[in-house]
Amino acid sequence: MSTAIEQLTRLAEDDDRFDHAYAELRETQIAAVNERFQERRDRIKLLSRRADDAGTTEIRNRADIVPLLFPHTAYKSYPESFLIEGRWDRLGKWLASVSPYPIGPIDTTGIDGIDDWLARLQDAGHYVTCSSGTTGSPAMLLSSQKDIDWSCKDAVAIFSWGSGVRPEQDRRMLGLGATAAAGRNIAIGQALWAAFNDPAKEPYRLPVPPITVGSLTSMVVLRKKVADGTARPDEIAEFEKTSQERQEALDNAMVAGAEALIGFRDEKLYISGMWGPLYQIAKLVRDMGYSGEDFHPDNCIYVGGGLKRAQLPDNYQEFVHQTFNIPASRDFQMYSMQEIGSGMPKCRKGNRYHVPPWLVPMVLDESGDELLPHESGEVEGRAAFFDISLDGRWGGVISGDKIALSLDPCACGSKSPSIRNNIVRYADIKGDDKIGCAGTVDAYVRGLS
């Protein structure tokens, strides 16, 4: 007899994965979360502590899950000095507090920065994905090989569902943005290329170096030094020189990207990137005298992430679509976050993000302490999720996002829970964001390291 986890994750193979209603899955999802809890309680130190504090020994309903969720800040709760001073052994001990698998001693001899340390962890089977960390320490999220394999399959399936593009290897893929050099991201990109790119055509990548955690961390460290007055003049001068060189390289890459698109305009294209670079390149294409009528009529686009503080005109999406001749049915967008392993694609009719069967969505109050009553209709509040598919870390997380979650069928016909396309971060609403349990969790994890 299959387990509840197997029953739900097996649905990833079905084309109708988003045609299962909340009420249909509710009991199986609770059973699956309890299976994960019983498996992991004694293997993840932070989870064990959270369970002890809540007096939880079994998951019987969604309310029982809430005290066991990790705030998203838990994955950046290590002392910043570990990173700045290169105390890799201590950082490894911290990482072990949120891992279900033992992290044995990693040889730190000759490590030259965080990128070297992450590479050695990956050699030992621990894939760490980091957030950008542009305003503070980067979050560090563990994945196992199972997670990498799952994310690769999921990425292909949800793109096909959300865009209507079948994985028939009949397009030229163009990546129009800098990507983070992380094992998980690289593997997902390769899976998409294998599924959608014509093997006879070389995928195009914008000619910019990949973003490394080390390069981002060095910027954060210098900014902190400038803020507290400890930055040396030569450090500031080197930073300004590097920043200018990077900007010049990016400006040149935008022109190269526009020229590449024009050169491939007669081909069926799969364009990916973020709105900021996509808009800049589209504007350059227009300035060079080309527009939608010059491009293939069946192009598609994959936009990752939001604006990321990019200042764009109100019609930026329409401008990009019209420039590259993207039909409305071929515009793929999704909602996800680094802390979970699955995506929620936006449907083409209801303009809502759909939640897969193995992802348990919850709406909490603003503090993240209480589950809001919700058995039908739409409820708005703080987003929390439990990803049953995750293997390399605990699947429960309290996000920094405010969402409107509906449990009713969507206008597109899908029965799955869905999220309205008006997601905002609490930090952007209030200028700050405080999750009730975050301080306690951070203090405990720091104590373990």
Side-chain angles (χ1 to χ4, degrees):
M1 182 177 177
S2 61
T3 66
I5 293 173
E6 291 169 341
Q7 291 176 46
L8 293 170
T9 54
R10 194 183 299 137
L11 294 174
E13 306 297 328
D14 294 350
D15 290 338
D16 64 349
R17 57 166 62 185
F18 297 108
D19 203 29
H20 300 276
Y22 161 74
E24 173 190 342
L25 298 174
R26 178 174 48 201
E27 299 305 319
T28 307
Q29 286 180 335
I30 294 301
V33 175
N34 186 56
E35 287 173 9
R36 282 293 190 215
F37 175 62
Q38 301 304 333
E39 288 175 359
R40 302 298 169 89
R41 175 175 180 172
D42 296 328
R43 292 167 56 185
I44 302 176
K45 295 175 184 177
L46 178 57
L47 175 60
S48 180
R49 175 61 180 266
R50 295 280 281 160
D52 288 345
D53 288 349
T56 302
T57 59
E58 182 182 8
I59 305 294
R60 295 159 297 183
N61 51 55
R62 288 186 304 153
D64 288 339
I65 302 173
V66 177
L68 306 178
L69 299 172
F70 294 178
H72 65 93
T73 55
Y75 295 104
K76 57 171 69 178
S77 60
Y78 52 86
E80 198 172 63
S81 60
F82 290 3
L83 187 59
I84 294 173
E85 298 169 11
R87 300 174 67 183
W88 311 119
D89 55 336
R90 302 292 290 176
L91 201 54
K93 187 177 179 182
W94 167 83
L95 197 61
S97 70
V98 291
S99 171
Y101 296 110
I103 298 179
I106 302 293
D107 181 14
T108 59
T109 306
I111 286 182
D112 182 22
I114 188 171
D115 294 326
D116 277 358
W117 180 66
L118 293 175
R120 294 196 188 184
L121 281 170
Q122 184 167 316
D123 289 342
H126 306 293
Y127 297 84
V128 180
T129 302
C130 296
S131 66
S132 61
T134 52
T135 56
S137 300
M140 297 190 187
L141 298 131
L142 276 163
S143 298
S144 67
Q145 186 61 55
K146 285 184 179 179
D147 293 328
I148 301 294
D149 295 342
W150 174 275
S151 293
C152 288
K153 292 178 181 178
D154 185 66
V156 172
I158 63 172
F159 180 82
S160 184
W161 186 90
S163 68
V165 176
R166 304 299 300 173
E168 295 175 342
Q169 299 182 316
D170 61 347
R171 296 173 181 269
R172 186 189 292 272
M173 297 185 69
L174 296 95
L176 302 180
T179 56
R184 179 175 179 269
N185 297 342
I186 293 170
I188 291 173
Q190 291 172 341
L192 290 169
W193 295 339
F196 297 101
N197 193 77
D198 184 338
K201 298 176 179 179
E202 183 70 21
Y204 179 84
R205 304 172 186 83
L206 206 64
V208 291
I211 300 169
T212 68
V213 178
S215 64
L216 291 169
T217 302
S218 64
M219 287 192 293
V220 172
V221 171
L222 184 60
R223 284 172 183 165
K224 290 185 179 297
K225 285 185 175 182
V226 170
D228 61 25
T230 60
R232 301 191 312 270
D234 62 305
E235 289 179 317
I236 296 174
E238 181 63 27
F239 173 75
E240 291 176 345
K241 177 185 175 184
T242 301
S243 297
Q244 182 178 349
E245 290 173 347
R246 286 176 177 166
Q247 187 58 56
E248 289 174 355
L250 183 59
D251 291 342
N252 292 334
M254 294 289 113
V255 174
E259 292 173 343
L261 273 161
I262 292 169
F264 299 140
R265 65 187 181 276
D266 293 330
E267 301 178 25
K268 191 157 53 171
L269 304 179
Y270 177 128
I271 300 168
S272 64
M274 297 179 67
W275 284 120
L278 287 170
Y279 178 81
Q280 292 179 54
I281 293 174
K283 192 171 185 305
L284 286 168
V285 168
R286 294 285 188 104
D287 292 343
M288 293 175 184
Y290 296 87
S291 62
E293 63 186 14
D294 300 303
F295 284 83
H296 195 284
D298 192 25
N299 291 336
C300 64
I301 192 167
Y302 183 153
V303 180
L307 291 177
K308 301 296 184 184
R309 296 185 169 86
Q311 299 297 314
L312 301 178
D314 292 340
N315 69 335
Y316 67 93
Q317 293 192 28
E318 293 86 350
F319 186 84
V320 170
H321 291 158
Q322 291 169 7
T323 301
F324 302 134
N325 205 8
I326 308 292
S329 61
R330 294 290 193 247
D331 172 24
F332 175 80
Q333 296 181 47
M334 73 168 183
Y335 172 50
S336 189
M337 56 193 68
Q338 295 277 19
E339 292 82 5
I340 60 178
S342 300
M344 293 165 270
K346 185 159 70 70
C347 66
R348 283 164 277 160
K349 185 174 181 181
N351 195 34
R352 302 183 69 90
Y353 298 100
H354 285 265
V355 185
W358 52 87
L359 190 60
V360 183
M362 291 162 279
V363 181
L364 312 182
D365 64 357
E366 185 175 332
S367 70
D369 293 328
E370 300 290 337
L371 179 71
L372 299 182
H374 193 192
E375 293 299 326
S376 63
E378 188 175 76
V379 169
E380 190 171 60
R382 184 180 291 276
F385 298 95
F386 194 98
D387 190 342
I388 293 162
S389 75
L390 277 176
D391 173 68
R393 61 183 181 273
W394 183 234
V397 63
I398 303 172
S399 81
D401 295 341
K402 183 177 182 180
I403 65 167
L405 174 71
S406 175
L407 301 181
D408 293 346
C410 177
C412 74
S414 297
K415 300 175 185 176
S416 70
S418 61
I419 296 169
R420 197 193 312 169
N421 185 22
N422 66 341
I423 302 161
V424 293
R425 296 189 65 80
Y426 277 101
D428 292 335
I429 299 172
K430 297 177 172 293
D432 190 16
D433 182 25
K434 294 182 179 179
I435 299 175
C437 64
T440 302
V441 169
D442 291 357
Y444 174 67
V445 177
R446 282 173 180 254
L448 289 174
S449 55

